[in-house]
Amino acid sequence: MAGIRGNAVVGQSGGPTAVINQSLVGVIEAARSSGVIDRLLGARHGVKGILREDFVDLFAEPRDVLEEVARTPSSALGSVRQKPKAEDCYKMFEAMRKHGVRYYFYIGGNDSAETVHIVNQAAKQAKYDLRCFHVPKTVDNDLRVTDHCPGYGSAARFVASAFLGDNLDNRALPGIKIDVVMGRNAGFLTAASALARKWDDDGPHLVYVPERPFFLDRFLADVEEVYRRLGRCVVAVSEGIIDGTDPLKRTVAEIMAEKSARAIEKDTHANIQLSGSGALGDWLASQVKDGLSVEGRLGLGLRVRADTLGYLQRSFPGVVSEVDASEARECGRQAVAMATAKDCDGSVVMIREPGEYRVRYEYTELQNVARETRSMPDSFLAADGNNVTEAFLEYARPLVGPLPPNGRLLGMIR
Amino acid sequence: MAGIRGNAVVGQSGGPTAVINQSLVGVIEAARSSGVIDRLLGARHGVKGILREDFVDLFAEPRDVLEEVARTPSSALGSVRQKPKAEDCYKMFEAMRKHGVRYYFYIGGNDSAETVHIVNQAAKQAKYDLRCFHVPKTVDNDLRVTDHCPGYGSAARFVASAFLGDNLDNRALPGIKIDVVMGRNAGFLTAASALARKWDDDGPHLVYVPERPFFLDRFLADVEEVYRRLGRCVVAVSEGIIDGTDPLKRTVAEIMAEKSARAIEKDTHANIQLSGSGALGDWLASQVKDGLSVEGRLGLGLRVRADTLGYLQRSFPGVVSEVDASEARECGRQAVAMATAKDCDGSVVMIREPGEYRVRYEYTELQNVARETRSMPDSFLAADGNNVTEAFLEYARPLVGPLPPNGRLLGMIR
């Protein structure tokens, strides 16, 4: 059963990833060979580009340019964070009608899936015949249904590499080091820090994620215990950790900002700005300094440092997981194949097969991935709430690929 | 003329780099084949290890372990920041005498070169026959005499890659982005951000280094000009920028810390702690927000973010310049060759040959590299004080190697 004949539009939305252009090129390839899509329009900056009829003719792009773009991080068409209102949808359908658009592909995370869902519902109401397909992408790995998300493997590879190096840095010049990792609702990316461990005493020694309440006193006690044992401590903390003492279950970052009377930015999907500031890391470091670098705890002169990995995590070039890159490409292809061959609306999910690592691609309905996010399962988190389990490491390893060497002189093994 | 027969000790000191273990392995290789060094002791944590007689037998390390260690970032023997006092030197000579040590190799930056110089002077005074050799290493690239320093090329490659990705991130989701880069006295590493530029409108659009006074009002005017022209702005700022209005010529970071009554840490070489905090970036972002996100300037709702690249710059694995790695190895070998064949004290410098990139290795006296640092020459800095020149880019390109792709759709070129 083949889909309707017509043109298609594709956009990219939300935070960029290192492989989001692989998905774009996957959409282009599959659209070209679909037999039913005559023109593929790239919308500049997502829905904003559709509203403005600001399009790129993607079938005019040469093969070599596309291959270079596929290996270039961040959204090649530009991105946007915008939840369309009903009137936006009708304006978009006008633009689409004018350009003969019958297919709408949108590459993004849960908020972008919500956008596709909204557009899909509005199209049905408006009786505008439009196939709406979401192509998954997020470094947070928090989309539901799918085993994992394109973009996660490469970001996780960056985080694991960063901790591999930073743990060795901390080993060379001992002290307490706190690294803040992206992750608004889910701890998958922060958890990837643990993939860097090879030797018994390798960090991160403590891992805090949004799935477990954060208590400052427990955190300080954890750091003290590790420092007394190893003479150093590396900590991975999600930017989205939740204050366990707060009745509203707000993030530590939000409460901190409130105390310092700093205004907090929100986007149209009601997400609070967490990244792009070193405040949480600096605050945690000052708490460690004030709480532990005193007589009776760890003594004066404690070396405490914090880094916030920041936007590098989602757009760093050259630290890409090969599995992630090829899966991102295939998700783009599959979206087109499903939309045209099955004549349906939805999203692409990856199901992991048993045995040696491989995935198969399946279809799911938009409502299953839109808006709501997925958290790390309990089996991935240690009972103490300050670490990950071997089950998580087994899950994540094939997504990230082999890491750089972490060699140690025989004389330095104790 | 061959050097005296005896044992040798080698240590690593100061901030780690991604290739400092290449130099260590270079020392081991050359010591093994020198014909005059019977045993090579690795001192754990530099001078601290010599004082404690805390040694590793480096000739006992297998070839494959050494090759893996060479490709592992951060100081494999552990590092230290400690300026030895006279009594420390005499204690070290006692330990050395006991272990038959006649050669002292120390891998580090200008502070470590000062340590070697101090030990060398003290040895002469104590009439302890010791060849003292410094092996250059620093991500700051601020050693004198040498064309450039091992460790710089790889850190510069990391910085250039980070800006390549972050510029594309900023292009996808426009706003003002400030990235703080390491560099206490010299702007070489911050300047490397400019290597990421390929297209006309690529960032960083502004580059601020310690060599040029920093004025907040000029900075805001610069950012405003770029934003009005491109609708976005990426800024690279050295952590060590100097406040142009301060009569004491202190760093912006230091003045900020003083205002907020925050204690500033210093090491025994009197260096102020600049890294390991996001405070400078956050402060600059708040200045931009307060100064430009207002009616009459750029209007309300400006998206302003800051990241501090932090310790990742000096220890990130897998983003290594091949030229840097092989030069770091050779500097280790050369130090041993010079110390044994020429029976002298000193440091290794690289002299760049005219024409296609290559270097030759030369000897220099310790006093020429100890303590004092080198700044970027005027020819590397643009007249406006907010950018680098083509001369700098030509200088740095061969040290960093080819960067990852920065592809652009034809339809997105305007």
Side-chain angles (χ1 to χ4, degrees):
Chain A
M1 180 174 73
I4 45 172
R5 183 156 206 119
N7 297 331
V9 65
V10 59
Q12 293 170 309
S13 168
T17 80
V19 298
I20 189 169
N21 294 330
Q22 293 282 0
S23 295
L24 176 65
V25 173
V27 168
I28 299 172
E29 287 174 334
R32 257 184 185 150
S33 60
S34 69
V36 295
I37 295 174
D38 299 317
R39 290 188 69 203
L40 177 62
L41 305 174
R44 289 195 183 93
H45 297 283
V47 292
K48 211 188 270 182
I50 305 177
L51 287 165
R52 292 179 186 164
E53 298 178 47
D54 188 10
F55 297 126
V56 178
D57 176 5
L58 289 173
F59 284 173
E61 298 287 336
R63 188 78 237 164
D64 58 332
V65 168
L66 290 179
E67 282 305 329
E68 196 184 22
V69 166
R71 291 181 298 117
T72 299
S74 188
S75 319
L77 287 169
S79 192
V80 72
R81 291 189 187 281
Q82 186 175 337
K83 183 173 166 175
K85 304 194 190 86
E87 62 262 37
D88 296 327
C89 293
Y90 301 128
K91 247 186 103 177
M92 283 199 273
F93 300 147
E94 262 178 58
M96 288 179 178
R97 188 171 284 122
K98 203 163 134 188
H99 292 273
V101 170
R102 291 291 164 201
Y103 295 91
Y104 166 50
F105 300 104
Y106 212 44
I107 310 168
N110 59 305
D111 289 332
S112 310
E114 189 184 8
T115 293
V116 183
H117 192 43
I118 290 169
V119 170
N120 188 31
Q121 303 277 61
K124 280 176 189 163
Q125 273 204 316
K127 299 204 189 326
Y128 181 68
D129 197 4
L130 183 70
R131 296 282 66 72
C132 297
F133 237 88
H134 168 249
V135 185
K137 159 292 337 175
T138 168
V139 298
D140 292 333
N141 202 39
D142 60 357
L143 288 173
R144 291 180 302 166
V145 190
T146 191
D147 176 76
H148 59 280
C149 306
Y152 173 66
S154 297
R157 184 174 180 78
F158 179 86
V159 169
S161 300
F163 274 84
L164 196 161
D166 209 39
N167 165 65
L168 292 168
D169 196 313
N170 180 262
R171 196 166 186 273
L173 289 170
I176 294 165
K177 181 70 195 300
I178 299 160
D179 288 326
V180 177
V181 183
M182 274 187 173
R184 181 180 298 283
N185 307 302
F188 289 103
L189 198 54
T190 305
S193 62
L195 292 165
R197 296 180 197 145
K198 173 180 162 188
W199 304 89
D200 274 357
D201 57 357
D202 273 345
H205 308 100
L206 300 166
V207 182
Y208 299 94
V209 294
E211 284 83 353
R212 293 285 179 265
F214 182 85
F215 297 96
L216 185 61
D217 53 349
R218 274 196 219 164
F219 164 70
L220 293 178
D222 289 348
V223 171
E224 185 170 7
E225 187 278 319
V226 172
Y227 192 88
R228 285 192 190 279
R229 185 159 45 87
L230 299 175
R232 67 188 190 94
C233 182
V234 177
V235 187
V237 180
S238 281
E239 60 182 5
I241 47 165
I242 307 287
D243 187 332
T245 66
D246 185 57
L248 303 175
K249 295 196 186 300
R250 287 172 302 171
T251 61
V252 174
E254 200 177 350
I255 295 167
M256 254 178 54
E258 202 178 86
K259 280 185 187 158
S260 67
R262 197 158 49 80
I264 284 241
E265 285 179 39
K266 288 187 187 186
D267 67 16
T268 58
H269 292 277
N271 298 309
I272 293 163
Q273 182 209 335
L274 290 175
S275 298
S277 154
L280 178 62
D282 287 354
W283 182 79
L284 289 169
S286 72
Q287 295 302 312
V288 169
K289 196 104 189 169
D290 294 349
L292 299 183
S293 188
V294 293
E295 302 293 349
R297 297 292 293 259
L298 293 175
L300 298 173
L302 211 53
R303 184 172 178 269
V304 187
R305 301 285 188 271
D307 274 327
T308 301
L309 304 196
Y311 289 108
L312 271 55
Q313 295 164 86
R314 68 186 194 190
S315 59
F316 199 90
V319 182
V320 166
S321 151
E322 282 175 41
V323 164
D324 188 31
S326 84
E327 288 178 349
R329 177 80 71 114
E330 189 58 25
C331 281
R333 289 192 194 113
Q334 289 285 337
V336 174
M338 289 174 189
T340 55
K342 294 185 179 162
D343 198 18
C344 64
D345 311 298
S347 180
V348 181
V349 295
M350 292 186 276
I351 310 295
R352 193 186 296 222
E353 303 280 11
E356 204 182 343
Y357 179 80
R358 55 183 280 265
V359 294
R360 63 171 205 277
Y361 298 83
E362 295 279 353
Y363 154 89
T364 196
E365 286 182 30
L366 285 167
Q367 65 199 34
N368 297 338
V369 291
R371 204 172 54 212
E372 299 298 319
T373 56
R374 173 179 68 146
S375 295
M376 291 181 78
D378 285 344
S379 60
F380 286 0
L381 295 168
D384 285 349
N386 61 13
N387 227 317
V388 300
T389 60
E390 182 57 32
F392 166 75
L393 298 174
E394 277 172 27
Y395 162 82
R397 263 187 215 110
L399 314 181
V400 168
L403 292 173
N406 177 358
R408 190 175 283 192
L409 295 167
L410 299 185
M412 295 298 287
I413 303 170
R414 301 194 180 201
Chain B
M1 180 175 74
I4 45 172
R5 182 155 207 118
N7 297 331
V9 66
V10 59
Q12 293 172 308
S13 169
T17 80
V19 298
I20 190 170
N21 294 331
Q22 292 283 359
S23 295
L24 176 65
V25 173
V27 168
I28 300 171
E29 286 174 334
R32 257 185 184 148
S33 60
S34 69
V36 294
I37 295 173
D38 299 317
R39 289 187 69 203
L40 177 63
L41 305 175
R44 289 195 182 93
H45 297 284
V47 293
K48 210 187 271 182
I50 305 179
L51 287 165
R52 292 178 184 164
E53 298 178 46
D54 188 9
F55 298 126
V56 177
D57 176 6
L58 290 173
F59 284 174
E61 298 288 335
R63 189 78 237 164
D64 59 331
V65 168
L66 290 179
E67 282 306 329
E68 196 184 21
V69 166
R71 290 181 297 117
T72 300
S74 187
S75 320
L77 287 169
S79 192
V80 72
R81 292 189 187 279
Q82 186 175 338
K83 183 173 167 176
K85 304 194 189 87
E87 62 261 37
D88 295 327
C89 292
Y90 301 126
K91 249 186 103 177
M92 283 199 273
F93 301 147
E94 262 178 58
M96 288 179 177
R97 188 171 283 122
K98 203 163 134 189
H99 292 273
V101 169
R102 291 292 164 199
Y103 295 91
Y104 166 48
F105 300 104
Y106 213 43
I107 310 168
N110 59 306
D111 288 332
S112 310
E114 189 183 9
T115 293
V116 183
H117 192 42
I118 289 169
V119 170
N120 188 31
Q121 303 277 61
K124 279 177 191 162
Q125 272 206 316
K127 298 202 190 322
Y128 181 68
D129 197 4
L130 183 71
R131 298 282 65 74
C132 297
F133 237 87
H134 168 248
V135 185
K137 160 288 344 173
T138 167
V139 297
D140 291 334
N141 202 38
D142 60 356
L143 289 173
R144 290 181 302 166
V145 191
T146 192
D147 177 76
H148 59 279
C149 307
Y152 173 66
S154 297
R157 184 174 180 77
F158 179 86
V159 169
S161 301
F163 274 84
L164 195 161
D166 210 38
N167 165 65
L168 292 168
D169 195 314
N170 180 262
R171 195 167 186 272
L173 289 170
I176 295 165
K177 180 70 195 298
I178 299 160
D179 288 326
V180 177
V181 183
M182 273 188 173
R184 181 180 298 283
N185 307 300
F188 290 103
L189 198 53
T190 306
S193 61
L195 292 165
R197 296 180 197 145
K198 173 179 161 186
W199 304 89
D200 273 357
D201 57 356
D202 273 345
H205 309 100
L206 300 165
V207 182
Y208 300 94
V209 294
E211 284 83 353
R212 293 287 178 265
F214 182 85
F215 296 96
L216 184 62
D217 52 349
R218 274 198 220 164
F219 163 70
L220 293 179
D222 290 348
V223 171
E224 185 171 7
E225 187 279 319
V226 172
Y227 192 88
R228 285 190 191 280
R229 185 159 43 87
L230 299 175
R232 66 188 190 95
C233 183
V234 177
V235 187
V237 180
S238 281
E239 60 182 5
I241 46 165
I242 306 288
D243 187 333
T245 66
D246 185 57
L248 302 175
K249 295 196 185 301
R250 286 173 303 171
T251 60
V252 174
E254 201 177 350
I255 295 168
M256 253 178 54
E258 203 178 86
K259 280 185 187 157
S260 66
R262 197 158 49 80
I264 284 241
E265 285 178 40
K266 286 186 186 185
D267 66 17
T268 58
H269 291 277
N271 298 309
I272 292 164
Q273 182 208 333
L274 290 175
S275 299
S277 153
L280 177 62
D282 287 354
W283 182 79
L284 289 169
S286 72
Q287 295 301 311
V288 169
K289 196 106 190 169
D290 294 349
L292 298 183
S293 188
V294 293
E295 302 293 350
R297 297 292 294 259
L298 294 175
L300 297 173
L302 211 52
R303 184 173 179 269
V304 187
R305 301 285 188 271
D307 274 327
T308 301
L309 304 197
Y311 289 107
L312 272 55
Q313 295 164 87
R314 68 187 194 188
S315 59
F316 199 90
V319 182
V320 166
S321 151
E322 282 175 41
V323 164
D324 188 31
S326 83
E327 289 178 349
R329 178 79 71 111
E330 190 59 25
C331 282
R333 289 192 194 114
Q334 289 285 337
V336 174
M338 290 174 189
T340 55
K342 294 186 181 164
D343 198 18
C344 63
D345 311 299
S347 180
V348 181
V349 294
M350 292 187 276
I351 310 296
R352 194 186 295 222
E353 304 280 12
E356 205 183 343
Y357 179 80
R358 54 183 282 265
V359 295
R360 62 171 205 277
Y361 298 83
E362 295 280 352
Y363 154 89
T364 197
E365 287 182 29
L366 286 168
Q367 65 198 35
N368 296 338
V369 290
R371 205 172 54 212
E372 299 298 321
T373 56
R374 174 179 68 146
S375 294
M376 291 181 78
D378 285 345
S379 60
F380 286 1
L381 294 169
D384 285 349
N386 62 14
N387 228 317
V388 300
T389 60
E390 182 57 33
F392 166 75
L393 299 174
E394 276 171 26
Y395 161 83
R397 263 187 214 111
L399 314 181
V400 169
L403 292 173
N406 176 358
R408 191 175 283 193
L409 295 168
L410 299 185
M412 295 299 287
I413 303 170
R414 301 193 179 200

